[in-house]
Amino acid sequence: MAHSICEGVPFMGKKVEKGAVIYLATESPASVISRVQAIKSYHDCDMANLFIVQVPINFFTSDKHSSEVIALVKQVEYDTGSKVNLIIGDTLARMTAGANENSGEDMVPILQRLDSVVYEANTAFLTIHHSGKDASRGARGSSTIRAHIDTEIYVVEENLQRTARPFLMTKNAPKRSKKTLNWTRIRS
């Protein structure tokens, strides 16, 4: 998805608006960089509008990091002349260190901070989060998380083939899509 937005090429057959992407690589920056290098090589592109943040971000402890991400969006847009169309947060657990993800009391302020980034920076925020022990129940943690999101996409891998499908579309969706999206793993 980041590749498609950076390069202005369709994502899974759907048009995208070309723009910048900020990737908050809080879990494993080296693996993100490796994956990006593989994508650049595979697609013969430069992804010049991808900005990878390789420092810890914590939306649980205070408003500090949400304010810094908003400032970063504005700076990237000013410096590049491109709108930041997507922020990727990888992963929710790392961006909320110290929080109990099963506690609505802990998660509500985090979700409010993510909202402030989305609304003040006028962008989309994709959060990578893991499913619970029972993957059929969706993302782990407080029901507050699911109640807050617009779309949940579930990714599975079988026989080196990854498949993504909308698991839950709660907002702006008259009915649940049954379309699945398939892609092939790119190796660096």
Side-chain angles (χ1 to χ4, degrees):
M1 185 181 298
H3 160 258
S4 294
I5 292 170
C6 286
E7 297 296 320
V9 297
F11 175 71
M12 301 295 184
K14 301 290 184 185
K15 291 181 182 179
V16 302
E17 182 180 326
K18 184 176 182 175
V21 175
I22 295 174
Y23 199 116
L24 306 176
T26 60
E27 185 160 282
S28 179
S31 73
V32 171
I33 292 168
S34 177
R35 283 181 271 148
V36 168
Q37 292 303 324
I39 290 168
K40 289 163 71 172
S41 175
Y42 183 83
H43 290 287
D44 190 29
C45 63
D46 64 7
M47 292 180 67
N49 281 335
L50 176 66
F51 300 88
I52 301 173
V53 176
Q54 301 180 59
V55 297
I57 304 279
N58 193 327
F59 293 109
F60 175 57
T61 54
S62 73
D63 293 337
K64 178 180 183 266
H65 286 147
S66 55
S67 297
E68 288 175 350
V69 170
I70 293 163
L72 175 62
V73 168
K74 292 176 181 178
Q75 188 64 50
V76 165
E77 290 178 342
Y78 178 80
D79 290 348
T80 67
S82 293
K83 181 179 180 332
V84 172
N85 287 333
L86 179 65
I87 299 170
I88 300 172
D90 185 1
T91 62
L92 182 63
R94 289 290 180 126
M95 294 186 306
T96 60
N100 176 355
E101 67 184 15
N102 294 309
S103 165
E105 187 176 325
D106 281 3
M107 294 309 297
V108 166
I110 293 164
L111 298 170
Q112 289 172 335
R113 289 180 181 112
L114 294 175
D115 274 350
S116 72
V117 172
V118 168
Y119 295 118
E120 291 182 42
N122 190 29
T123 191
F125 202 115
L126 182 153
T127 305
I128 298 173
H129 187 46
H130 300 285
S131 61
K133 292 176 186 174
D134 180 359
S136 69
R137 295 179 62 200
R140 67 186 189 203
S142 169
S143 61
T144 305
I145 299 169
R146 179 171 274 174
H148 196 82
I149 62 173
D150 293 328
T151 302
E152 182 175 351
I153 300 172
Y154 184 61
V155 179
V156 295
E157 182 174 351
E158 295 172 343
N159 303 321
L160 297 179
Q161 180 72 32
R162 289 188 178 167
T163 304
R165 69 177 184 275
F167 184 80
L168 175 70
M169 298 170 98
T170 57
K171 299 175 184 151
N172 301 322
K175 63 180 181 175
R176 186 173 166 180
S177 170
K178 299 209 184 288
K179 183 176 182 176
T180 58
L181 308 170
N182 297 308
W183 67 86
T184 304
R185 175 182 286 181
I186 300 171
R187 298 182 190 266
S188 53

